[in-house]
């Protein structure tokens, strides 16, 4: 009976389960649940392994890009509010390969004292070692960046094609860590 239930389980014959006794049906369900649990564990293990591989590639890319010059400019950050609305927020953005960071600063205000206070502390600092995704859209002059330590994707839009091209070129060095083909 064990072998029969196993054969039904392996062959994927779930329609045969109605012919089994209640005891063998419980065994069959247990084996099916076990198989699903093993598949989930294997999927998690593959995801963790891919994450480690991506991190290793990103570390290599980070060390290769340390000598690159920093890139600085104004980009617009696309955000969604908690109530479902959308808005855009301008930022001064600095990509510093030597420090391994992408820093967002509030744009300078008209008042010089506010500008000095805003310049003292950045709005957000992203570590490039956690960069998981780089998506560049020529059509919309948009750059989307995903970081492993942040749930939300950072979506930045350039004001001009020239600004977009300089940022796309700078970030293309980091997109090497995302592809598995290279």
């Amino acid at each position: 009976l064990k072998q029969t239930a196993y054969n039904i389980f392996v062959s994927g014959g779930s329609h045969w389960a109605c012919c089994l006794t209640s005891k063998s049906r419980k065994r069959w369900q247990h084996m099916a649940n076990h198989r699903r649990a093993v598949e989930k564990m294997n999927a998690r293990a593959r995801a963790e392994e891919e994450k480690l591989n991506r991190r290793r590639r990103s570390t290599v890319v980070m060390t290769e890009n340390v000598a690159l010059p920093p890139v600085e400019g104004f980009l617009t950050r696309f955000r969604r509010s908690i109530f479902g609305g959308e808005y855009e927020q301008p930022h001064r953005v600095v990509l510093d390969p030597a420090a391994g960071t992408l820093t967002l600063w509030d744009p300078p205000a008209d008042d010089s004292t506010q500008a000095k206070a805003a310049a003292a502390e950045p709005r957000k600092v992203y570590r490039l070692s956690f960069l998981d995704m780089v998506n560049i859209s020529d059509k919309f002059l948009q750059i989307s960046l995903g970081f492993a330590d942040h749930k939300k994707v950072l979506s930045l839009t350039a004001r001009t094609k020239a600004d977009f091209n300089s940022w796309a070129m700078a970030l293309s060095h980091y997109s090497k860590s995302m592809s598995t083909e290279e």
Side-chain angles (χ1 to χ4, degrees):
L1 184 62
K2 234 186 231 184
Q3 187 62 37
T4 306
Y6 179 76
N7 289 340
I8 292 170
F9 169 73
V10 170
S11 65
S14 60
H15 60 281
W16 292 103
C18 63
C19 301
L20 301 173
T21 64
S22 65
K23 189 174 183 181
S24 59
R25 189 176 305 128
K26 285 179 185 175
R27 272 194 211 131
W28 182 83
Q29 289 171 344
H30 173 73
M31 290 188 321
N33 290 339
H34 177 70
R35 188 179 99 204
R36 279 188 225 108
V38 168
E39 287 172 356
K40 274 186 179 179
M41 287 184 347
N42 288 340
R44 271 191 232 124
R46 283 190 301 270
E48 286 296 319
E49 183 67 28
E50 179 57 32
K51 189 187 288 187
L52 285 172
N53 288 337
R54 215 175 17 239
R55 185 64 47 82
R56 286 183 196 118
R57 288 190 303 267
S58 128
T59 304
V60 169
V61 169
M62 291 285 299
T63 56
E64 290 173 355
N65 295 333
V66 166
L68 293 175
V71 178
E72 182 176 341
F74 287 93
L75 297 173
T76 304
R77 181 180 181 188
F78 177 81
R79 300 187 76 185
R80 295 183 195 274
S81 71
I82 57 172
F83 300 111
E86 301 170 345
Y87 63 97
E88 294 180 352
Q89 190 174 16
H91 288 285
R92 184 171 66 93
V93 182
V94 178
L95 174 69
D96 187 359
T101 60
L102 178 78
T103 309
L104 301 181
W105 301 81
D106 285 332
D110 295 335
D111 186 356
S112 63
T113 57
Q114 286 181 348
K116 288 178 185 175
E121 195 171 318
R123 167 68 79 176
K124 192 82 168 176
V125 178
Y126 295 92
R127 294 186 305 178
L128 295 174
S129 60
F130 287 108
L131 186 63
D132 273 348
M133 178 204 57
V134 176
N135 188 6
I136 299 173
S137 172
D138 292 335
K139 184 176 180 180
F140 300 106
L141 304 179
Q142 189 172 28
I143 300 166
S144 299
L145 304 171
F147 293 88
D149 58 342
H150 289 80
K151 291 181 182 178
K152 295 183 179 178
V153 172
L154 175 63
S155 183
L156 301 168
T157 306
R159 294 177 183 170
T160 65
K161 185 72 171 171
D163 286 345
F164 173 78
N165 288 337
S166 68
W167 280 100
M169 178 62 89
L171 290 168
S172 68
H173 297 288
Y174 295 94
S175 66
K176 293 176 187 175
S177 66
M178 271 43 85
S179 64
T180 55
E181 291 78 36
E182 297 181 328

